[in-house]
Amino acid sequence: MELKSEESVLVDQDGFLFRSNSYTIAQQLFDQIKMAGKLTDDILPALHTMFDQMLLISLDFLDRDCVSKVISPSGRSFFEVESFNAQKSYQVLTQYCSCEGYSYKVRDSDGPILCKHQLAVKLAEALGKFSTRTVTDIELATMLSREDEG
């Protein structure tokens, strides 16, 4: 499998891709999944190399049908990933997740480029494996603002 990046791929002494190239490479993998319509034998190891155990957790979200897209009549939308025990759900926007892991592992560190919920959404979008739920614009705003309070 050939992955292209505008920058050369840099690897640190432990063999991990530097963050600056990782998102570009990950997006190329998601695009390949979308084109193939499935996870292929050459894409899966590359994803596992990038995301390690988080990949298995994210795939489990898909297997359990925990990913849904919430859409309002105005066209605004976000993804929601339900926890395994269905007691909490996490709102996922393009560059944001409402989970604690996003705040301290992704946004505020040099750690992974996505949290497990963002990865689940990227995979769900690429595979077309998510449910859709329509809400009013006010309901959508309320759902998102409720996360800002907690």
Side-chain angles (χ1 to χ4, degrees):
M1 170 181 27
E2 182 181 338
L3 298 176
K4 298 176 183 173
S5 176
E6 293 176 6
E7 304 172 37
S8 60
V9 176
L10 304 174
V11 180
D12 68 11
Q13 70 271 12
D14 297 321
F16 295 106
L17 295 172
F18 281 111
R19 190 178 179 92
S20 63
N21 290 320
S22 295
Y23 194 83
T24 301
I25 292 169
Q27 191 57 53
Q28 290 174 8
L29 292 170
F30 300 135
D31 291 344
Q32 288 181 16
I33 293 167
K34 189 171 187 169
M35 286 189 304
K38 62 181 180 177
L39 282 170
T40 61
D41 291 341
D42 61 333
I43 296 172
L44 200 54
L47 284 172
H48 190 267
T49 298
M50 289 191 77
F51 297 106
D52 197 34
Q53 293 299 313
M54 190 169 42
L55 175 63
L56 301 176
I57 296 167
S58 297
L59 289 171
D60 203 17
F61 283 125
L62 270 61
D63 288 342
R64 295 176 188 231
D65 296 321
C66 293
V67 180
S68 60
K69 186 173 187 176
V70 180
I71 303 172
S72 71
S74 67
R76 292 182 175 90
S77 67
F78 67 91
F79 279 89
E80 193 168 62
V81 180
E82 198 173 290
S83 64
F84 293 133
N85 60 14
Q87 292 183 0
K88 182 152 178 69
S89 61
Y90 301 94
Q91 284 67 37
V92 179
L93 298 148
T94 305
Q95 296 292 323
Y96 172 80
C97 180
S98 62
C99 74
E100 289 179 14
Y102 174 80
S103 295
Y104 69 86
K105 289 183 181 176
V106 179
R107 184 189 67 203
D108 295 336
S109 77
D110 290 330
I113 58 171
L114 302 170
C115 72
K116 61 188 174 187
H117 307 106
Q118 289 174 305
L119 180 56
V121 166
K122 290 285 193 183
L123 292 167
E125 284 183 298
L127 294 166
K129 189 166 176 18
F130 57 88
S131 60
T132 304
R133 182 165 50 119
T134 303
V135 298
T136 66
D137 287 310
I138 293 172
E139 288 171 320
L140 184 130
T142 302
M143 294 169 82
L144 290 174
S145 65
R146 194 174 31 221
E147 283 305 314
D148 290 339
E149 296 170 1

